[in-house]
Amino acid sequence: MTKKELRIIYMGTPEFAVAPLQSLVEQGFNIVAVITMPDKPQGRGRKISGSPVKEFAVEHNIPVLQPEKLKNPEFIEELKSYKADLQIVVAFRMLPEIVWNMPKYGTFNLHAALLPQYRGAAPINWAIINGETKTGVTTFLLDKDIDTGRILMRQEIEILDSDNIGTLYDKLMEIGQGLVVKTVEKIIAGDTNPIPQEELIDKQTVLKPAPKIFKEDCRLEFNKPCNSVRNLVRGLSPYPAAFTTLNVNGKTLTAKIFETSTEISNSKLEPGKILTDNKSYLKIVCNDGFLIINELQLEGKKRMKIQDFLRGVKIDC
């Protein structure tokens, strides 16, 4: 079978899913349809807009399906009509078995972690939050459970100390699009050897989950080591952003924290105490030193470097 003969349905929604789709199209693979989320209000004006994947598909004249419910009989019949040999999922939603088990070659997913580690909705965030020094991307065949299917391919990447969720997202998006193409090429060549994830888990393996990030997960707690607090900032910057509260000009306000550094110290000060000269620095006591705030955003204000921020406010310590 050639790349033109293999009929592929692609499923995805955000920007992360556009890059693999673009690579497949540019390299001449036969994408017969795209499935994405229904249009929804976006931005300050709440204008109804399509997903990034839909926008790409429309630009390239690829049929787009946007089912509200994936078990809807009309959708299932329409899906069958495309006679797909393979389905590819990148940043979409959980599929019912009637959908993922439909094609001859099954359905594979691109996951932004080195499975079996970091199964779940936010693998990039949690890898940084937990202080990992490496991560990667994995393609695997879907089954009944979330992120547990047999592994097709993996590719590893280093997490730099300077990385945050924004920079690592971009790096994984780049290598992910290449891995999707390589995986499809292996399927066409009949050169796959899917590996059960259980074979990569031994008695010493501690599996780390990657659940969805909620607002309370973003609150900074300073009774922890400096590097742990800094990793939370890195793992949430620039979005959704870690936050704390500051007493500014006599008011208690929420501040999103985007960039920090650390100063290890044997300080006996209480964790959470704020130190500042109200000119050039702002640091907060942790249990083994100080978290130095380099860039932040006060509620209702723009994101600022700390020196610019301190020019216009007074921090009450």
Side-chain angles (χ1 to χ4, degrees), residues 1-15:
M1 181 176 287
T2 67
K3 63 174 64 175
K4 285 292 187 182
E5 292 171 331
L6 184 75
R7 297 175 62 83
I8 299 172
I9 285 180
Y10 188 91
M11 306 183 189
T13 296
E15 180 189 4

Side-chain angles (χ1 to χ4, degrees), residues 294-297 301-306 308-309:
N294 298 323
E295 194 167 349
L296 77 169
Q297 181 178 9
K301 303 294 182 180
K302 65 180 182 179
R303 179 172 167 174
M304 304 175 77
K305 297 291 185 182
I306 192 63
D308 297 328
F309 172 76

